[in-house]
Amino acid sequence: MLSSYLIAEAYARVRSIVHVVLVDADEELLTFRPDPEANSIAWLIWHLTRVQDDHLAELMNEDQLWDSAGWADRFAFPFARAATGYGQTAEEVGQVRAGASVLAGYLDAVHARTIAWLPTLTTADFSRVVDTRWTPPVTLAVRLVSVLSDDLQHAGQAAYVRGLAERSGR
């Protein structure tokens, strides 16, 4: 189906951008913040993956890989296990410390599940209402694009922060 193919292609671009950002990234690079209130590369990648995991697991009616596949334990953050990054303080952003391999592993697991699920969708699925709290109500297609948009923005921000870090001589 063309719609599933296009959405899968777009999600694959998020994964590609993130993998480029993570090449040879050490802890100093991953935790670099242009100022004390800014997001780090580690936070941006963790957050975009958490949002995709959280939102798409709900659409799939499955458990989040964060919990079911043990990713929360591997990251072992000192804040709420259910956190996805929304509304976090600058201090909490600074507590996101994870190596490139863990960040890539979590993204790859979430991405693989997303890509396996997308071809199961039918044309009718895309117009199914998944959230009635908004006007107009949110359809599955709109939610997929919303998560994709958020993920692409954060992947681009991570690439930008990497450039800033490298130019600063971090």
Side-chain angles (χ1 to χ4, degrees), residues 33-68:
R33 295 166 78 181
D35 70 52
E37 299 294 314
N39 297 325
S40 67
I41 294 168
W43 185 89
L44 288 161
I45 293 172
W46 166 77
H47 169 65
L48 75 85
T49 307
R50 280 293 292 128
V51 168
Q52 186 176 339
D53 188 15
D54 174 76
H55 288 33
L56 272 60
E58 181 179 355
L59 296 175
M60 295 175 200
N61 199 28
E62 294 184 11
D63 293 334
Q64 295 175 34
L65 295 177
W66 182 247
D67 293 312
S68 67

Side-chain angles (χ1 to χ4, degrees), residues 67-147:
D67 293 312
S68 67
W71 289 103
D73 295 330
R74 283 176 234 174
F75 281 85
F77 292 145
F79 44 78
R81 187 177 180 104
T84 62
Y86 285 122
Q88 284 193 305
T89 66
E91 180 182 343
E92 289 170 320
V93 169
Q95 294 172 338
V96 173
R97 296 190 170 284
S101 63
V102 174
L103 290 163
Y106 181 38
L107 176 68
D108 288 348
V110 170
H111 177 75
R113 182 171 68 173
T114 299
I115 297 306
W117 174 69
L118 288 171
T120 71
L121 299 174
T122 66
T123 301
D125 289 326
F126 287 106
S127 60
R128 179 171 50 93
V129 172
V130 297
D131 191 344
T132 58
R133 295 173 295 172
W134 301 93
T135 303
V138 176
T139 63
L140 185 137
V142 168
R143 180 61 47 84
L144 286 171
V145 171
S146 174
V147 172

Side-chain angles (χ1 to χ4, degrees), residues 14 17-18 21 44 48 150-160:
V14 171
I17 293 166
V18 168
V21 170
L44 288 161
L48 75 85
D150 189 62
D151 282 0
L152 281 169
Q153 288 180 64
H154 289 316
Q157 291 164 356
Y160 181 74

Side-chain angles (χ1 to χ4, degrees), residues 19-39:
H19 275 269
V20 168
V21 170
L22 293 175
V23 169
D24 298 325
D26 60 17
E27 182 177 351
E28 183 181 1
L29 176 67
L30 291 171
T31 58
F32 174 84
R33 295 166 78 181
D35 70 52
E37 299 294 314
N39 297 325

